[in-house]
Amino acid sequence: MSAPPAVAWAGADPYAAALRAGRGPLFLRRADGWLLPLEVERWCARADRIDRTVLDRCEGAVLDIGCGPGRLVAELAARGATVLGVDVSAAAVDHTVGLGGQALRRSVFEPLPGEGRWDTALLMDGNVGIGGDPAALLRRVAQLLRPGGVLIAETAPADIDERVRVQVVDLSDGPAGNGGCFPWARLGTPALLRCARGWRRAGQWTAGGRSFLALRTLSHSNSAEPPKSTAVISSQRVRKPSAARPVADR
């Protein structure tokens, strides 16, 4: 699958600045001026009680898609799990690596280590909106997981299905605190289930005002190849991005 156009989120200076500072305020803004607050402080803190209950449901090797500053990667690594975070933001990858986690600066739509072998994928903190096309994102995640693998996604608490263009804004800096526009989506659990063709529901729950959905890929493979072994990332050299080559390779 080809990678989408450059993601404006990755180059949004207010987002990078907020991650480095560990605080907001930061928002996603639609063209009509509507604002969605981004929970930068929570993302930059340690995994909380609700996060940990979600991570308790993870199986085997875990791929955290849109890992942000890496609290979930760090928590899973501390548990001894095989885990890799991927994010398009250099600041997010740097923060994750600084916590002792493994992370790559890469889009989920680009080639990734262990394709077809991950046991669990995470789409937390609104990351079901990545790319603005949830059905395409779910198809991509299915390619990354092993047959029978599980996706745990955090959904919007309301029954919403919204596809929009947004930008990251820091209102305290005026126009200078705005990033470029990019496609995004917001989905509640019913809307995500409507997109989940080829998946079966494995769990649905709410905790602390947050909503989650677990989906499992079909246990059979459409390929004639034998099942692949579990994803292994320990042999991969993960390093911080450089100007010449922003991502590590296998």
Side-chain angles (χ1 to χ4, degrees):
M1 179 180 294
S2 60
V7 182
W9 177 289
D13 288 341
Y15 179 65
L19 291 192
R20 294 185 180 109
R23 63 182 183 275
L26 207 62
F27 304 86
L28 286 184
R29 182 167 65 188
R30 291 190 314 217
D32 64 3
W34 177 88
L35 296 171
L36 175 68
L38 299 179
E39 299 182 74
V40 177
E41 289 84 356
R42 180 171 68 82
W43 298 347
C44 289
R46 295 173 63 90
D48 61 22
R49 177 184 61 83
I50 297 170
D51 293 329
R52 293 192 296 272
T53 63
V54 172
L55 299 183
D56 289 343
R57 297 173 180 251
C58 291
E59 303 171 358
V62 182
L63 182 67
D64 186 2
I65 299 166
C67 66
R71 76 186 191 283
L72 305 180
V73 174
E75 172 66 22
L76 285 167
R79 297 183 181 194
T82 297
V83 56
L84 176 67
V86 294
D87 204 289
V88 293
S89 165
V93 169
D94 285 348
H95 199 284
T96 302
V97 172
L99 293 177
Q102 294 197 75
L104 289 176
R105 185 184 176 192
R106 198 171 296 184
S107 164
V108 64
F109 294 100
E110 293 180 295
L112 293 172
E115 296 208 9
R117 290 175 283 167
W118 293 97
D119 300 295
T120 303
L122 296 175
L123 285 171
M124 299 283 281
D125 304 324
N127 283 331
V128 293
I130 290 173
D133 185 343
L137 179 59
L138 287 179
R139 288 194 297 270
R140 176 57 177 149
V141 174
Q143 293 175 343
L144 296 168
L145 289 170
R146 63 169 176 80
V150 65
L151 164 65
I152 301 177
E154 184 170 356
T155 58
D159 185 3
I160 188 171
D161 188 350
E162 181 180 66
R163 322 297 167 87
V164 292
R165 291 188 66 82
V166 296
Q167 63 183 155
V168 179
V169 298
D170 177 351
L171 299 181
S172 64
D173 286 343
N178 296 344
C181 290
F182 56 94
W184 197 251
R186 294 178 65 229
L187 285 83
T189 295
L192 187 58
L193 283 169
R194 289 193 294 270
C195 295
R197 296 182 179 179
W199 298 78
R200 62 180 177 87
R201 179 163 46 185
Q204 179 180 335
W205 69 99
T206 60
R210 296 165 64 187
S211 299
F212 304 94
L213 176 64
L215 297 169
R216 194 173 292 277
T217 61
L218 300 180
S219 58
H220 67 274
S221 173
N222 293 326
S223 169
E225 297 178 1
K228 298 177 181 179
S229 59
T230 300
V232 175
I233 61 173
S234 59
S235 62
Q236 176 167 343
R237 183 175 175 228
V238 181
R239 53 183 170 78
K240 295 183 180 180
S242 66
R245 187 172 180 81
V247 294
D249 211 341
R250 298 190 75 179

